[in-house]
Amino acid sequence: MLPRLRPLSLLHHYKSSLTTTHLTQIHSQLISNGLTHSPSILARLIERYCASSPPHAHLITTHFYNHNNEPNPYLFNVLIRCTPPADSITVFANWVSKQTLKFDDFTYIFVLGACARRAKALREGLQIHCRVIKHGCLSNVMLQTTLIHFYVKTDACRFARKVFDEMPVRTRTAATWNSLIAGYCARKDHARDGLLLFVDMLTGDYGVKANDTTLVCVLSAVARLGYLETGVGIHACIEKTIGGVESDVYIGTGLVDMYAKCGCLDAGLNLFMRMRHKNVHTWTAMVSGLAVNGKGKRALKLFNDMIDSGISPNSVTFTSLLLACSQAGLVKEGLSLFKIMKTKFCIVPLSHHYGCIVDLLARAGHLEDAFEFIVSEKVESDEVLWRSLLHACRLHNDVVMGEKVAKILISMKPEFDVKGCDRNEDYVALSNMCASAGRWEEVAKVREMIIDKGIRSDPAVSAVFT
């Protein structure tokens, strides 16, 4: 039961605890008191409804514009901003077809933001971009920046760069530069372009300076590419412009991650120890760096220090730790980590966690245990796990287990697979297993199956450069 407060006070004070029932009661009070003609009050009500009952928010917006000759799209913008991305795009498309409301710059900003958050919304965003050009709204810097953000999120970096290049140089803000730099740096095939754009930002007279967001993005690109000299130069630039990084947890974490992934563990550890504030990402970056450099025992020790300092690990932390155990052959420790991940820290294992355990057991030659693990964890449908085990069987020359796993993989495939070349890998593996055991009759049968089922194998290509 809600306390006796005015409806407006309830909307202000109870931001997250209001249920749909409470909101309908407040809505009734607003109607009784004649307060539903105020756009600002309805905007707050729409925000609350979007969190618990989006259809109510849609009805309020439609009712307002149907019964009020109000050309201002303010309430519609609130609805677009607060609803889930897929709903925002659908609602926008429906109102476009009605042609009863003239949209403003904020409408396009919010709906493009929804397209950026929704996977595979490039087509819808392109259509919205066309409307923006048609209605002459492209001079808005916020809208242009949102367009860049949308394109990089939908893997259309060339469109993002086109929007960026067409902007007047002096209108670009730090957010504009950061949107494109972050989009480039997040992809390995474009990371170098991000670094070049960052250099252009520093050396050009654009009136914009790099901020924390810029530096974290370029450091991630350096770590991804392994450009240690570039990373050292960026570190020097940071020290010169910002000062010591020991008190900035985000830049410090970026530098630790960069040094560790570039193989400069001593510099990374030195910086890590000097940092005054460390969060879970800082600890995970250092653990991951030790793992990829083959320092499994040191990674486990650092994990214990992390727990002692009161920081709870996340899913990525355990991925790095399991990888470290796998590379160092620490079977007992890896299985223990997998267990406490689920029981103590309540982290649901993902496919790569299962993959790390299968790899851990397989590397150590415990192929039967790896098989039982896949079955007991009920992840038999994951082809990657079985294929990883099959590869281990070939390395350890365990023909019996390899034949068993190969047949499981083949049975998981549909009878008629258009992508025949994908199926060929498992048949060839089975054929090789039988050949290793001298079972030539079975080799012939497998080869006949490949021909009968029309499974195509793409020929390998090799080249010699002189």
Side-chain angles (χ1 to χ4, degrees):
M1 188 69 180
L2 289 172
R4 289 183 172 274
L5 293 174
R6 293 181 179 181
L8 294 182
S9 300
L10 288 170
L11 287 176
H12 280 288
H13 289 87
Y14 293 87
K15 293 184 178 181
S16 59
S17 60
L18 291 174
T19 64
T20 303
T21 303
H22 294 152
L23 287 170
T24 53
Q25 293 174 358
I26 295 171
H27 192 182
S28 300
Q29 289 294 318
L30 291 174
I31 295 173
S32 301
N33 295 328
L35 299 174
T36 55
H37 296 290
S38 171
S40 60
I41 295 174
L42 287 178
R44 292 189 176 277
L45 188 60
I46 289 171
E47 288 179 355
R48 303 294 182 268
Y49 268 134
C50 283
S52 61
S53 179
H56 284 81
H58 297 170
L59 289 173
I60 292 172
T61 309
T62 304
H63 182 271
F64 178 83
Y65 287 114
N66 287 342
H67 293 81
N68 295 273
N69 187 17
E70 178 61 62
N72 191 329
Y74 170 63
L75 285 184
F76 181 74
N77 292 347
V78 173
L79 179 65
I80 293 292
R81 176 173 58 85
C82 296
T83 49
D87 293 341
S88 296
I89 298 169
T90 303
V91 170
F92 176 79
N94 291 338
W95 281 75
V96 167
S97 62
K98 292 179 183 178
Q99 298 181 345
T100 57
L101 187 63
K102 184 178 180 181
F103 306 130
D104 61 8
D105 294 358
F106 287 102
T107 311
Y108 294 117
I109 289 171
F110 294 143
V111 74
L112 282 170
C115 290
R117 295 192 303 275
R118 186 192 178 200
K120 299 180 181 179
L122 178 60
R123 182 172 176 271
E124 292 87 344
L126 285 168
Q127 293 175 337
I128 295 168
H129 190 179
C130 292
R131 290 188 61 85
V132 169
I133 296 173
K134 180 180 178 180
H135 293 105
C137 302
L138 203 54
S139 59
N140 188 310
V141 178
M142 288 180 60
L143 182 51
Q144 292 170 318
T145 301
T146 306
L147 268 171
I148 293 171
H149 174 70
F150 155 70
Y151 280 128
V152 297
K153 284 292 185 181
T154 51
D155 294 328
C157 290
R158 62 189 182 93
F159 292 147
R161 187 57 188 258
K162 189 173 187 299
V163 174
F164 181 85
D165 291 337
E166 290 175 352
M167 291 179 65
V169 173
R170 290 295 176 183
T171 63
R172 297 171 186 162
T173 63
T176 309
W177 285 89
N178 289 342
S179 294
L180 188 56
I181 290 174
Y184 277 151
C185 293
R187 294 160 180 79
K188 188 171 183 178
D189 54 336
H190 287 291
R192 189 171 181 275
D193 296 326
L195 293 178
L196 292 174
L197 189 64
F198 172 66
V199 172
D200 188 26
M201 179 184 183
L202 291 181
T203 56
D205 185 19
Y206 302 115
V208 177
K209 294 183 178 181
N211 55 22
D212 293 1
T213 304
T214 321
L215 296 169
V216 170
C217 290
V218 295
L219 285 171
S220 69
V222 171
R224 188 170 285 109
L225 295 171
Y227 290 173
L228 179 59
E229 292 183 359
T230 304
V232 172
I234 294 173
H235 189 180
C237 177
I238 292 171
E239 293 285 355
K240 182 178 178 181
T241 56
I242 299 178
V245 298
E246 293 84 358
S247 58
D248 192 313
V249 66
Y250 299 105
I251 294 180
T253 300
L255 284 168
V256 168
D257 183 61
M258 183 272 296
Y259 279 122
K261 287 183 178 177
C262 289
C264 197
L265 279 178
D266 291 339
L269 281 167
N270 183 40
L271 180 60
F272 176 82
M273 298 304 296
R274 288 189 289 114
M275 288 180 64
R276 300 189 186 97
H277 305 287
K278 304 181 185 74
N279 58 19
V280 62
H281 304 293
T282 314
W283 287 92
T284 300
M286 197 65 252
V287 169
S288 178
L290 291 169
V292 297
N293 285 280
K295 307 293 184 180
K297 292 185 178 180
R298 292 184 70 180
L300 291 176
K301 183 180 182 304
L302 191 66
F303 172 69
N304 293 328
D305 294 339
M306 175 183 178
I307 301 301
D308 293 339
S309 66
I311 302 294
S312 296
N314 58 20
S315 176
V316 181
T317 313
F318 278 103
T319 302
S320 300
L321 288 167
L322 292 174
L323 175 64
C325 291
S326 177
Q327 293 184 343
L330 304 174
V331 177
K332 183 179 179 181
E333 292 83 350
L335 293 175
S336 177
L337 284 170
F338 185 79
K339 181 178 179 181
I340 65 171
M341 178 181 71
K342 296 191 296 182
T343 57
K344 183 177 179 180
F345 298 101
C346 301
I347 297 174
V348 178
L350 301 176
S351 60
H352 48 266
H353 294 122
Y354 292 116
C356 287
I357 294 297
V358 171
D359 185 61
L360 169 69
L361 293 170
R363 278 174 182 256
H366 304 315
L367 302 179
E368 190 68 36
D369 292 338
F371 185 94
E372 294 297 331
F373 174 80
I374 296 174
V375 175
S376 63
E377 293 292 335
K378 299 180 180 179
V379 286
E380 303 99 320
S381 60
D382 194 328
E383 296 179 20
V384 177
L385 298 181
W386 289 117
R387 201 161 279 128
S388 176
L389 181 56
L390 178 61
H391 177 68
C393 291
R394 295 176 64 182
L395 290 178
H396 292 279
N397 200 28
D398 191 331
V399 179
V400 176
M401 177 62 72
E403 186 177 357
K404 184 178 179 182
V405 173
K407 288 181 178 179
I408 291 174
L409 276 167
I410 291 173
S411 67
M412 293 171 63
K413 299 288 185 178
E415 186 65 26
F416 299 101
D417 193 346
V418 177
K419 299 179 180 179
C421 57
D422 292 340
R423 302 188 65 196
N424 183 69
E425 176 185 348
D426 302 323
Y427 282 97
V428 170
L430 177 58
S431 175
N432 292 338
M433 284 288 174
C434 295
S436 299
R439 301 176 184 176
W440 301 110
E441 292 183 0
E442 294 186 28
V443 172
K445 290 180 181 179
V446 174
R447 294 294 178 178
E448 288 178 5
M449 290 171 61
I450 294 175
I451 296 172
D452 292 341
K453 294 179 180 294
I455 299 172
R456 178 174 55 86
S457 177
D458 292 334
V461 178
S462 62
V464 177
F465 296 95
T466 60

